Amino acid sequence: MDWLTEFPQIGGRNLRLMSRTIDQQYRAFSRAFGNDIEALFRPLLDFLLWFEKLLLQTPWWIVIAVLVAIVWFASRSKGITAGTFVALMLIGIFGMWEDTMRTLSIIIVCTLMSIIVGLPIGIIMSRSDKVQAVINPILDVMQTMPSFVYLIPIVMLLGIGLIPGLIVVVIYAMPPIIRLTNLGIRLVDKEVLEAANAFGSSSWQKLTQVQLPLALPTIMAGINQTIMMALAMVVVASLIGVRGLGQPVLQAITNQYFTQGVLNGMAIVAIAIIFDRASQAYGKRLQRHREAAHG
């Protein structure tokens, strides 16, 4: 047999053998440590369930009033605020309120987790080119890997449920906040930092009183993108038990329920637009305030 035809067969056998070995080792790892890893994330799950219950049990008009007030505070735009009110009312009228509240709770919790984990990583990256060189390829993989691929190792490790869903959404949504925190801090004017050094500021004082405030508009852009990516995972995460607007969309695809799929998809779009417009408007306000302060 010619080596050109023999080589792929040998390579294929080796690849299958290696894959089988890795699969066996991963299964052994999941059996040994799966419960411990799940217990580690149990407080996060408890917080999510509490927040979801709070949104579901609070009267709808109070929830709408609070959300509209938050959007008004962030955007100071009558158009965005009125659009938010109309969208939330339509969501309730078409019977999607409970699923929307579940989606809202997981998006808010996952965004908070992404900020808590991603912000320090972005700060560390901004302080060291070597750390940036190590983390950037990891972020590239996280952003380019197909979303369904995230499900495979996590479902094998933790099974089906809310905890693996939370982890999948956080992993998928975290890269933008890390990248833009790093970028925002690196873009702070060197003359401002020199002035802070001249006043004898410590590294912590420079970070909290100079770098982070000046980088806040860029960080807000990262938070905006993190929210959008978390929303993009809603339908995919419904495959592993995440409740909310993604499940009716998945049912509509499976059973060919056109109206149900379109309405729930439009609800996801409405929530995405509300978050996007409010966070963008808030970021622009921060930018104008920064420019006025330095003008």
Side-chain angles (χ1 to χ4, degrees), residues 54 76 80 93 95-96 118 148 154 183 295:
L54 176 68
R76 299 295 168 88
I80 296 173
I93 290 168
M96 298 178 290
F148 282 95
I154 294 173
L183 178 65

Side-chain angles (χ1 to χ4, degrees), residues 104-178:
L104 205 59
S105 63
I106 195 166
I107 293 305
I108 291 171
V109 170
C110 288
T111 301
L112 287 174
M113 277 300 301
S114 298
I115 293 170
I116 290 168
V117 176
L119 198 64
I121 296 174
I123 292 169
I124 293 168
M125 282 179 68
S126 70
R127 291 174 171 269
S128 170
D129 290 336
K130 289 182 180 178
V131 173
Q132 180 178 248
V134 171
I135 294 178
N136 264 337
I138 299 172
L139 296 178
D140 292 338
V141 171
M142 289 170 69
Q143 287 188 295
T144 55
M145 185 178 292
S147 54
F148 282 95
V149 178
Y150 284 108
L151 304 181
I152 298 169
I154 294 173
V155 170
M156 285 181 66
L157 182 62
L158 300 173
I160 303 287
L162 271 175
I163 291 179
L166 277 169
I167 296 171
V168 166
V169 175
V170 169
I171 291 173
Y172 188 75
M174 209 190 321
I177 184 65
I178 297 175

Side-chain angles (χ1 to χ4, degrees), residues 22-34:
I22 293 172
D23 289 346
Q24 289 171 353
Q25 290 177 348
Y26 191 78
R27 287 193 194 98
F29 175 82
S30 64
R31 284 194 291 268
F33 300 103

Side-chain angles (χ1 to χ4, degrees), residues 127-246:
R127 291 174 171 269
S128 170
D129 290 336
K130 289 182 180 178
V131 173
Q132 180 178 248
V134 171
I135 294 178
N136 264 337
I138 299 172
L139 296 178
D140 292 338
V141 171
M142 289 170 69
Q143 287 188 295
T144 55
M145 185 178 292
S147 54
F148 282 95
V149 178
Y150 284 108
L151 304 181
I152 298 169
I154 294 173
V155 170
M156 285 181 66
L157 182 62
L158 300 173
I160 303 287
L162 271 175
I163 291 179
L166 277 169
I167 296 171
V168 166
V169 175
V170 169
I171 291 173
Y172 188 75
M174 209 190 321
I177 184 65
I178 297 175
R179 286 189 187 279
L180 288 169
T181 298
N182 173 41
L183 178 65
I185 293 175
R186 285 178 178 271
L187 288 178
V188 172
D189 196 337
K190 295 291 187 292
E191 292 180 0
V192 177
L193 293 177
E194 289 172 4
N197 287 329
F199 282 104
S201 300
S202 64
S203 296
W204 177 252
Q205 287 173 326
K206 280 193 294 183
L207 176 66
T208 56
Q209 297 176 21
V210 178
Q211 290 173 306
L212 285 179
L214 292 177
L216 201 53
T218 308
I219 294 171
M220 280 302 302
I223 293 172
N224 172 278
Q225 291 304 305
T226 292
I227 294 169
M228 294 302 103
M229 294 189 75
L231 273 165
M233 280 296 289
V234 165
V235 178
V236 176
S238 67
L239 289 168
I240 56 173
V242 173
R243 296 169 295 179
L245 292 167

Side-chain angles (χ1 to χ4, degrees), residues 59-112:
W60 63 270
W61 56 272
I62 294 178
V63 175
I64 289 180
V66 171
L67 291 175
V68 167
I70 292 171
V71 170
W72 168 251
F73 171 78
S75 65
R76 299 295 168 88
S77 166
K78 292 179 182 178
I80 296 173
T81 306
T84 300
F85 176 77
V86 171
L88 292 173
M89 288 296 293
L90 288 173
I91 284 170
I93 290 168
F94 284 106
M96 298 178 290
W97 184 258
E98 289 190 4
D99 285 335
T100 301
M101 291 302 101
R102 290 191 177 100
T103 296
L104 205 59
S105 63
I106 195 166
I107 293 305
I108 291 171
V109 170
C110 288
T111 301
L112 287 174

